Amino acid sequence: MVVLSPRLSALCSLLVLAVSSHAQDSSAIASSAPASSAVLPSNALSSVASSVSSIVSSVASSASVSLSTVASSAASTPISSTASAPASGSISASASASGSASAPLSSGISSESATFSSAVFSSAAISASSAASASVSATTSAGGPPIETTQFTLPISSYPFSSFPVPSASPIPGVYPSTSPKTPPPPGSRLIPDFGPAWARAHARAKQLISGWSLDQKVATTTGVGWMGGLCVGNIPAVADWPGLCLEDSPLGVRDTDFVTAFPAGITAASTWQRALIRARGLAMGQEFKGKGAHVALGPMMNMGRIAQGGRNWEGFGADPYLSGEAAYETILGMQQGGVQACAKHYINNEQEHRRTQESSNVDDRTEHEIYLHPFMRSVQAGVASVMCSYNQINETFACEQDRTLNQLLKGEQGFQGYVMSDWGAHHSTLAAVAGLDMSMPGDISFQSHTSWWGANLTAFVENGTIAESRVDDMAERIIAAWYLLDQDQNYPEVSFNAFFPNDPQTNKHVDVQADHYKVVREIGAAGTVLLKNVGDALPLRKPRSIAIIGNDSGPSLRGPNGYPDRGGDDGTLAMGWGSGTAQFPYLISPLEAIQARARHDSSGSQVSWFLNNWDLAGAAATALDQDVALVFVNAQSGEGYITVDGNEGDRKNLTLWINADALVEAVAGANPNTVVVVHSVGPAIVEPWIENPNVTAVLWANLPGQESGNAIVDVLYGDVNPSGRLPYTIARRPEDYGTHLVTGGTGDEILRIDYTEALNIDYRHFDTNNIAPRFEFGFGLSYTTFSYSNLHIQPLDSTPSPSAALEAAWAAGHASPAVPGGSTALWLHRPAFEVSFTVRNAGRVAGTEIAQLYLHFPAGAGEPPSVLRGFADVRVREGESERVVLTLSRYDLSVWDAAAQGWRKPRGAFGVSVGTSSRDFRLKGVVPV
């Protein structure tokens, strides 16, 4: 590898001209796309190199230039920033948070939106990479952010390829059963599903199918048809008798079509801490994607909530790798049981929207493994069909051509057998194929440019000897194997919608796939609601005679639930964020509507009044005066960076609640001594202005509940559902209490440098390490009843006879696990090794669900945070009764990543265990007998 300095951007333009002068036109085969892709003929390579050499010779000896972006396309260079889902036009902005009283917030949409390498790369390429890494540096302009001055790319060379060895282990009944995506183990099961045999059968069939295909046909399988080139947001063309693929957003439902369910967001599902509900959500979504004819669902999203302001945090599962990993695992098992290919995204280190295409996330190896890679590892264990690489750079290399993360970690260390697709526009060179990218999405370099890094260019690179044809075979085989793995060759529905022209009668069949999935939506919406405060049993409501409903968030939007494209606005009740991670609402039950219905049901004498203007504080207070209860609904919104709402370019500008919310709460609380606040939010928000106000008697954190929003919150408000939600992140007292913050700034072609210097200490780990008191800690949540804990017992589990006894003994002695293909997902590392059991008693007067949480305390010298989540269970307990809870710990759970040895190692010393109700409320303590 070599280094590209931004100072040489002008030279790059000259290089492109040099290449273009030698390029010859060529047309792609009918089945490849885009058909007009420019080709670099094999006989032009030496001539190009000569021209390039004459230009590069003028460069200072301290600088070197990558030629991959030049030789990959003779016709075009990529735009620096794209959107995964650009709008068809711009939306005029209306009110800001300090603007007129009656105008909602709308949006403006901008144009932006190892050892295994020896099997793939030549030793020369690896040596070049090592040499280049020594020259990484960054500069900081006066008062500006740190800027990268280097970028790693692959040099033009000849790249041989050998397939990755396939990890294998013999099935173990009761521990490691052979299974398929159709028949996963039940939620929360100790069983570790072995998808190896199913993958082997799928790969064998794929290999047979492509054995008679031409090179052009195999290349066509890897190259999208281009933006708006098909019915779906992403499309792979049909080849011979193979029908191709429809790829469609989003992580919370089928986007760009009608008669689908708008499910609760990922952050709401995570807030339930209930595996069965998360699985049910995944299954229902999978069934709907299949019902619409989409082969690949672009989700779940599992980037970490490293930055509280992160625009797309709500699509994912929170700020802890274990919780995120379990939620990703259950979601994927559910989705693929429903018949659709799941796609784990965005791989990896894509934790902010600001300049996501022009930032380098610089992460050390241990932090990568223990925090950010973990949810993707759990996805591989769930048999995920595909992974989407992200827009950002990782340690100065674009994620979609990063050998370390794609080849070494994902396909090598984790043994991933599916395919890697690019995010839309995140593909930067033809040689990305060498680094591990398998599918180019949407296929064109810039949207509707009719150029492609692959297509005919990939064919040319094979013909001129740069890329081995065996690598293209591997790419096509991986893509088609995933299709076979999900049995999509067996009567799979045809695509019945048009993502780009939803009103076209010729291509939209308006197939209704909703079934009774509204029940899952309502159940998750209620179970994902977190009770943060409840003074004097203000909740549940007991048929109050007079109710005031206050706040814009309680009612419907003036434009209806889908009035803002991709939900890019804030008007009316908030049930999902904005961007490509959205879906159309079939309907949206507002709290105003649902509360009125419940009040009518409870008593014909109930009186309900409302006031929806957040800016008229006097009017709000007057409405709340002398009412039995005042319910104030407020929110905070965010989303994907191609949409800007009130100056929030995807990421939130700050952590305050929106639309004058703090002042609204204080005004209502000043008029009514029984003020209940309901918050619909994309993530953490600062609530200090009013949280200790004695007239604020209860607070419900309702997240983003989807289409049944009003019904779900009524279930909790009135006690039909005893709240059991728990926070999947920390709510701080001050924004500066968080250890990581949004990196802003940067202009033009500058690459922001985002150093993950906090290492393992994100969210609650940072608060614990630095002894910072949060307002509400990670894992916190109250109930309408009380629970007690007792009788903790920890014991090792007998794993004999074990086929991996030697490996287990070496681990026990403190040796790192071997650096072998599939080493990080090896059965012996993940099978239950210790059992932790305890009793939970419901000491209250109503039945309820407790979320019991297990935190591990590593030995002092291990370099870990004070507490790390390593287990949880939801347990339903009737009043006055007790239930025994059993959790397990694996050797992996008790390991740290040894970057020097490239393996998982047990630190020396004692391991403490705490069991309790949150990351700071421990009820029982013990020691793991290792």
Side-chain angles (χ1 to χ4, degrees):
M1 293 187 182
V2 289
V3 182
L4 175 63
S5 168
R7 294 179 300 169
L8 303 179
S9 59
L11 280 170
C12 289
S13 298
L14 293 174
L15 293 173
V16 171
L17 291 174
V19 174
S20 299
S21 67
H22 293 281
Q24 299 177 5
D25 292 333
S26 177
S27 59
I29 62 167
S31 59
S32 69
S36 58
S37 299
V39 186
L40 180 66
S42 57
N43 61 8
L45 187 62
S46 61
S47 182
V48 169
S50 176
S51 299
V52 166
S53 177
S54 66
I55 296 173
V56 173
S57 64
S58 64
V59 181
S61 61
S62 62
S64 57
V65 181
S66 167
L67 309 185
S68 64
T69 57
V70 175
S72 298
S73 173
S76 177
T77 57
I79 58 173
S80 61
S81 173
T82 63
S84 60
S88 58
S90 62
I91 300 177
S92 60
S94 55
S96 68
S98 58
S100 64
S102 61
L105 298 184
S106 61
S107 60
I109 298 184
S110 68
S111 60
E112 180 184 14
S113 30
T115 56
F116 308 120
S117 287
S118 59
V120 182
F121 293 150
S122 66
S123 59
I126 299 300
S127 299
S129 172
S130 301
S133 64
S135 64
V136 178
S137 62
T139 62
T140 303
S141 58
I147 302 299
E148 288 291 357
T149 59
T150 58
Q151 175 184 323
F152 299 118
T153 58
L154 288 167
I156 294 294
S157 182
S158 178
Y159 292 93
F161 175 78
S162 298
S163 298
F164 285 99
V166 178
S168 62
S170 300
I172 301 176
V175 177
Y176 189 56
S178 175
T179 189
S180 74
K182 284 185 176 180
T183 57
S189 171
R190 287 190 184 189
L191 297 177
I192 302 172
D194 177 14
F195 292 107
W199 272 117
R201 291 190 295 271
H203 272 274
R205 296 183 68 188
K207 188 183 294 289
Q208 176 64 32
L209 180 66
I210 69 173
S211 62
W213 285 4
S214 67
L215 172 61
D216 287 337
Q217 288 176 313
K218 289 178 288 189
V219 166
T221 310
T222 72
T223 310
V225 303
W227 182 248
M228 299 182 68
L231 295 176
C232 304
V233 73
N235 304 271
I236 292 294
V239 176
D241 294 330
W242 182 66
L245 296 175
C246 162
L247 297 84
E248 187 60 41
D249 293 312
S250 78
L252 59 67
V254 189
R255 184 179 175 224
D256 300 321
T257 186
D258 52 13
F259 297 102
V260 297
T261 302
F263 289 90
I267 201 66
T268 310
S271 295
T272 70
W273 292 59
Q274 296 190 39
R275 291 179 174 87
L277 288 180
I278 297 170
R279 176 79 69 86
R281 173 179 176 268
L283 175 59
M285 288 196 298
Q287 292 168 340
E288 294 201 9
F289 274 95
K290 179 178 179 179
K292 284 289 188 177
H295 300 91
V296 186
L298 301 177
M301 184 276 216
M302 57 200 70
N303 294 111
M304 298 301 302
R306 173 180 179 265
I307 301 167
Q309 296 165 249
R312 300 183 76 176
N313 288 355
W314 59 273
E315 294 184 43
F317 302 119
D320 178 78
Y322 183 86
L323 176 61
S324 295
E326 295 307 288
Y329 177 84
E330 295 294 350
T331 301
I332 290 165
L333 288 179
M335 291 176 71
Q336 298 199 159
Q337 183 181 2
V340 73
Q341 298 179 40
C343 175
K345 68 178 188 181
H346 308 89
Y347 187 73
I348 190 170
N349 308 130
N350 184 185
E351 271 75 46
Q352 72 172 53
E353 282 298 285
H354 181 70
R355 294 182 75 83
R356 64 183 181 181
T357 65
Q358 292 177 261
E359 64 95 347
S360 177
S361 298
N362 299 331
V363 191
D364 69 86
D365 198 39
R366 178 173 176 179
T367 297
E368 192 76 285
H369 277 80
E370 294 189 25
I371 303 293
Y372 302 97
L373 192 59
H374 177 84
F376 290 96
M377 182 199 73
R378 289 294 280 153
S379 300
V380 172
Q381 290 179 306
V384 71
S386 62
V387 171
M388 181 191 293
C389 52
S390 51
Y391 285 115
N392 54 290
Q393 294 181 18
I394 306 161
N395 299 328
E396 294 84 37
T397 300
F398 278 111
C400 290
E401 52 188 50
Q402 169 59 276
D403 165 54
R404 172 64 176 163
T405 55
L406 299 182
N407 281 329
Q408 297 179 36
L409 301 187
L410 184 61
K411 294 181 178 180
E413 184 184 296
Q414 295 188 7
F416 174 56
Q417 297 186 56
Y419 59 95
V420 178
M421 72 175 75
S422 69
D423 204 337
W424 271 231
H427 186 183
H428 293 279
S429 72
T430 306
L431 285 176
V434 175
L437 183 66
D438 300 303
M439 178 186 288
S440 178
M441 276 290 133
D444 33 16
I445 293 177
S446 58
F447 293 165
Q448 296 184 295
S449 64
H450 303 292
T451 60
S452 179
W453 292 117
W454 284 358
N457 279 320
L458 180 55
T459 299
F461 265 51
V462 172
E463 291 175 341
N464 67 30
T466 302
I467 297 175
E469 185 170 357
S470 57
R471 169 60 185 132
V472 176
D473 292 344
D474 176 65
M475 295 156 66
E477 180 184 318
R478 286 175 175 270
I479 292 167
I480 295 173
W483 182 72
Y484 278 125
L485 180 74
L486 274 297
D487 294 325
Q488 293 182 340
D489 59 318
Q490 300 177 18
N491 300 315
Y492 204 81
E494 293 184 356
V495 179
S496 61
F497 64 97
N498 189 325
F500 299 101
F501 302 100
N503 297 317
D504 176 17
Q506 301 301 316
T507 53
N508 289 279
K509 299 178 182 178
H510 308 290
V511 175
D512 188 342
V513 296
Q514 298 171 90
D516 62 351
H517 297 157
Y518 71 92
K519 296 178 181 178
V520 175
V521 174
R522 183 169 180 169
E523 188 173 3
I524 292 175
T529 296
V530 185
L531 179 62
L532 296 181
K533 182 179 181 180
N534 195 23
V535 178
D537 291 332
L539 294 178
L541 299 177
R542 297 167 180 87
K543 298 184 179 181
R545 294 200 66 198
S546 58
I547 306 170
I549 304 171
I550 311 293
N552 178 274
D553 182 73
S554 69
S557 169
L558 295 175
R559 300 189 182 193
N562 301 309
Y564 295 98
D566 291 342
R567 314 299 79 78
D570 190 6
D571 174 33
T573 195
L574 181 65
M576 66 176 68
W578 76 67
S580 65
T582 59
Q584 294 283 101
F585 287 103
Y587 60 83
L588 176 55
I589 303 295
S590 71
L592 176 62
E593 176 185 355
I595 293 169
Q596 289 186 86
R598 180 56 183 259
R600 289 195 302 271
H601 176 270
D602 278 350
S603 170
S604 59
S606 290
Q607 175 179 299
V608 179
S609 55
W610 60 86
F611 195 86
L612 307 187
N613 190 328
N614 286 24
W615 300 97
D616 185 350
L617 302 182
T623 303
L625 190 65
D626 295 329
Q627 303 298 295
D628 287 350
V629 61
L631 305 175
V632 185
F633 288 81
V634 294
N635 67 38
Q637 168 73 306
S638 73
E640 195 167 358
Y642 68 88
I643 297 177
T644 296
V645 178
D646 192 43
N648 296 269
E649 299 174 348
D651 305 308
R652 286 183 283 166
K653 295 184 294 184
N654 52 50
L655 293 177
T656 60
L657 294 167
W658 285 32
I659 318 179
N660 206 34
D662 291 336
L664 180 68
V665 173
E666 292 184 279
V668 174
N672 191 302
N674 188 22
T675 296
V676 175
V677 180
V678 179
V679 182
H680 289 116
S681 181
V682 292
I686 303 301
V687 296
E688 294 308 299
W690 47 265
I691 191 62
E692 293 186 355
N693 188 318
N695 287 353
V696 175
T697 54
V699 177
L700 287 169
W701 204 263
N703 295 293
L704 303 171
Q707 68 192 43
E708 289 283 325
S709 176
N711 289 332
I713 200 63
V714 161
D715 289 342
V716 176
L717 282 170
Y718 283 83
D720 295 341
V721 172
N722 190 341
S724 61
R726 300 294 184 265
L727 289 176
Y729 45 69
T730 299
I731 296 179
R733 296 174 183 266
R734 307 177 306 160
E736 53 267 32
D737 286 345
Y738 291 103
T740 52
H741 302 276
L742 188 66
V743 177
T744 59
T747 60
D749 294 332
E750 291 177 340
I751 304 296
L752 290 184
R753 180 182 179 114
I754 301 178
D755 294 325
Y756 286 40
T757 53
E758 76 285 353
L760 305 178
N761 292 321
I762 67 169
D763 199 74
Y764 71 94
R765 299 162 176 240
H766 163 77
F767 284 79
D768 291 349
T769 299
N770 294 282
N771 197 28
I772 300 171
R775 170 53 64 182
F776 298 108
E777 70 268 22
F778 173 84
F780 178 81
L782 301 174
S783 172
Y784 294 154
T785 188
T786 57
F787 298 95
S788 62
Y789 289 67
S790 62
N791 302 325
L792 176 66
H793 182 65
I794 308 173
Q795 64 179 9
L797 291 173
D798 183 11
S799 61
T800 57
S802 172
S804 305
L807 290 170
E808 295 168 7
W811 176 88
H815 299 293
S817 60
V820 296
S824 279
T825 53
L827 171 62
W828 72 269
L829 194 59
H830 289 274
R831 67 182 298 180
F834 302 91
E835 182 180 271
V836 181
S837 60
F838 50 92
T839 299
V840 173
R841 181 176 182 270
N842 184 339
R845 294 174 293 176
V846 295
T849 298
E850 172 69 329
I851 306 298
Q853 303 166 39
L854 186 157
Y855 292 84
L856 195 64
H857 314 293
F858 278 80
E864 291 289 307
S867 303
V868 293
L869 181 69
R870 282 294 188 267
F872 62 87
D874 59 285
V875 53
R876 177 76 175 175
V877 190
R878 295 183 61 84
E879 60 272 27
E881 297 184 0
S882 300
E883 294 288 342
R884 193 70 178 167
V885 180
V886 179
L887 301 174
T888 61
L889 293 168
S890 68
R891 292 173 179 83
Y892 173 87
D893 291 328
L894 272 64
S895 298
V896 300
W897 179 253
D898 186 327
Q902 289 294 288
W904 295 99
R905 178 177 55 79
K906 178 181 71 68
R908 180 174 301 176
F911 289 80
V913 167
S914 292
V915 173
T917 65
S918 75
S919 62
R920 292 209 165 187
D921 187 356
F922 301 144
R923 307 293 180 85
L924 302 171
K925 294 189 177 183
V927 176
V928 182
V930 292

